[in-house]
Amino acid sequence: MIVLGIDTSCDDTSAAVVADGRSVLSNVVHSQVRSHRPHGGVVPELASREHVKNIMPVVREALAGADLGTGDLDGIAVTVGPGLVGSLLVGLYYAKGLSCVRGIPMAAVNHLEGHILSIFLEDELPAFPFVCLAVSGGHSSLYHVSGYGRYALLGQTLDDAAGEAFDKVAKILGLGYPGGRVIEEMAREGRKDKIHFPRAFLSKDSLDFSFSGLKTAVALYIKKWRESREEQATVSIADIAASFQESVIDVLVKKSIKAREITGAPSMVVAGGVACNNHLRNCMTEAFSPLGVQVYFSRPEYCTDNGAMIALAGYHRLLHGEHADLSVDVRSKFPIQALAPLEE
Ligand code: KG4
Ligand code: ZN
């Protein structure tokens, strides 16, 4: 089954063609970073206008990259939420138009489900069940995943997402947008134990996250640092970046270990844009290998937003006979829906 996947949930216009939910024939991502950078973050109105401009060329490029035409498509998978409403609408209405005109079945996909399943685009696959740590600019969640469409939420952020904390701290440090990669690069030169920023573990067994206190602590420290020559002489911006990164990763790793312990799942998957972070990858692998637990990561282009993960998630919905009709609408908040069992 050949599926076109479309994602316009935030600031990337993405389209991909995937065969049988496994084989990526093309994966095109048009980043809007250059348009949003002068504003220090994503401007929703600007994002939707950019999607309108880019959706047709991006889909055309994805089809050309797969050497296919719309007549070859067996399905269209499109993100309907969660995300920015104005952005989601562009992808959804484009998909509805194509589905209607060409008579191609359409699947409405949850963006986070796409991130969770993105590992299945790789060659080395985890067996079910596994625990998934999904960390992006909009989410920090732990799920117990027992099959396609079978997700039990174990914990989630009560305020900021991990990627959002990276972006905000980078902004305060004047390192630009988006912040994750630049903080990681800066942190390589810094000492991670120079400042002990707070770690919010919440209650003892809680699998929820909270990063807003950390963000405030970093902001207050930077204010003090800027006013003190003495502090600046002993602590560098790289030290601040490394200490902040360490604090986020410490919490992500320890909560993941707890989630694994509670569920007894034999493997662990890390997904979402923050999973690009090499220090997180190393810390997760180091923490889990003594437990005999393998940690799986996608390649970076499947960690950040992409159409291939949406095509994959949509493929499984279409396979189960789940077709979205033209009344489907976008959802800014959207819990992942379970997949109905296959009819015999
Ligand atoms: O999954 P994604 O592309 O979009 C959302 O669904 O939000 O994730 C984007 C987020 C941004 O917050 C970005 O700063 C973060 O992922 N990110 C990173 C790194 N690369 C991207 N965070 C930490 N380290 C990185 N290397
Ligand atoms: Zn995402």
Side-chain angles (χ1 to χ4, degrees):
M1 192 196 296
I2 306 280
V3 176
L4 169 71
I6 296 175
D7 185 88
T8 60
S9 58
C10 189
D11 60 337
D12 290 323
T13 315
S14 322
V17 180
V18 177
D20 299 328
R22 278 289 293 143
S23 166
V24 181
L25 306 182
S26 66
N27 186 38
V28 180
V29 180
H30 182 277
S31 165
Q32 299 181 4
V33 161
R34 271 205 285 168
S35 310
H36 297 285
R37 189 170 280 140
H39 307 279
V42 177
V43 182
E45 172 62 25
L46 196 57
S48 21
R49 273 191 267 148
E50 286 275 312
H51 286 308
V52 170
K53 239 183 357 201
N54 297 320
I55 185 76
M56 284 176 41
V58 165
V59 170
R60 216 176 287 137
E61 196 183 329
L63 287 169
D67 209 10
L68 296 172
T70 50
D72 300 309
L73 298 175
D74 303 304
I76 302 169
V78 62
T79 304
V80 296
L84 300 171
V85 165
S87 290
L88 290 162
L89 278 171
V90 179
L92 176 61
Y93 277 82
Y94 180 84
K96 278 187 186 182
L98 192 57
S99 164
C100 189
V101 169
R102 294 277 176 186
I104 308 166
M106 182 174 80
V109 174
N110 183 300
H111 182 78
L112 199 53
E113 182 179 23
H115 276 303
I116 293 170
L117 294 182
S118 61
I119 195 66
F120 292 99
L121 297 169
E122 296 297 345
D123 294 333
E124 205 189 348
L125 307 179
F128 293 117
F130 57 81
V131 168
C132 179
L133 170 69
V135 268
S136 69
H139 305 273
S140 298
S141 316
L142 280 160
Y143 282 91
H144 182 254
V145 182
S146 49
Y148 292 110
R150 300 268 170 273
Y151 317 101
L153 180 65
L154 304 169
Q156 60 187 330
T157 185
L158 305 178
D159 40 58
D160 292 352
E164 196 179 351
F166 271 91
D167 294 337
K168 287 180 178 167
V169 167
K171 194 171 176 180
I172 302 168
L173 284 171
L175 297 176
Y177 164 86
R181 206 171 55 188
V182 69
I183 293 253
E184 180 183 4
E185 276 164 20
M186 190 57 101
R188 277 200 203 111
E189 314 294 322
R191 291 160 293 180
K192 61 184 189 211
D193 47 4
K194 192 71 195 171
I195 314 148
H196 187 84
F197 287 123
R199 277 93 162 130
F201 288 105
L202 308 169
S203 65
K204 189 173 149 276
D205 287 329
S206 171
L207 294 176
D208 287 331
F209 299 98
S210 167
F211 293 109
S212 75
L214 167 64
K215 177 193 66 192
T216 307
V218 177
L220 289 173
Y221 175 79
I222 292 169
K223 187 169 181 291
K224 190 181 92 183
W225 179 83
R226 286 204 170 113
E227 288 162 1
S228 160
R229 284 204 179 170
E230 231 172 89
E231 197 75 8
Q232 287 176 32
T234 52
V235 178
S236 67
I237 291 189
D239 294 335
I240 303 174
S243 302
F244 157 74
Q245 178 176 267
E246 196 61 18
S247 173
V248 175
I249 291 178
D250 192 21
V251 174
L252 295 179
V253 170
K254 290 196 173 126
K255 298 251 174 193
S256 298
I257 288 179
K258 177 125 275 169
R260 221 286 312 175
E261 212 174 270
I262 293 171
T263 58
S267 43
M268 186 74 216
V269 169
V270 188
V274 181
C276 293
N277 187 291
N278 286 301
H279 189 50
L280 172 64
R281 288 177 178 241
N282 294 338
C283 290
M284 287 291 285
T285 307
E286 270 169 34
F288 278 94
S289 71
L291 307 173
V293 173
Q294 185 166 351
V295 189
Y296 295 80
F297 307 92
S298 306
R299 70 194 74 179
E301 64 259 45
Y302 297 153
C303 288
T304 48
D305 290 350
N306 66 86
M309 67 185 194
I310 302 305
L312 153 65
Y315 163 79
H316 287 283
R317 299 214 162 249
L318 292 167
L319 204 63
H320 278 68
E322 196 188 294
H323 295 182
D325 62 30
L326 292 181
S327 67
V328 67
D329 208 350
V330 298
R331 311 260 303 263
S332 63
K333 292 199 166 64
F334 186 25
I336 308 180
Q337 312 292 304
L339 199 53
L342 268 179
E343 280 175 26
E344 293 301 319

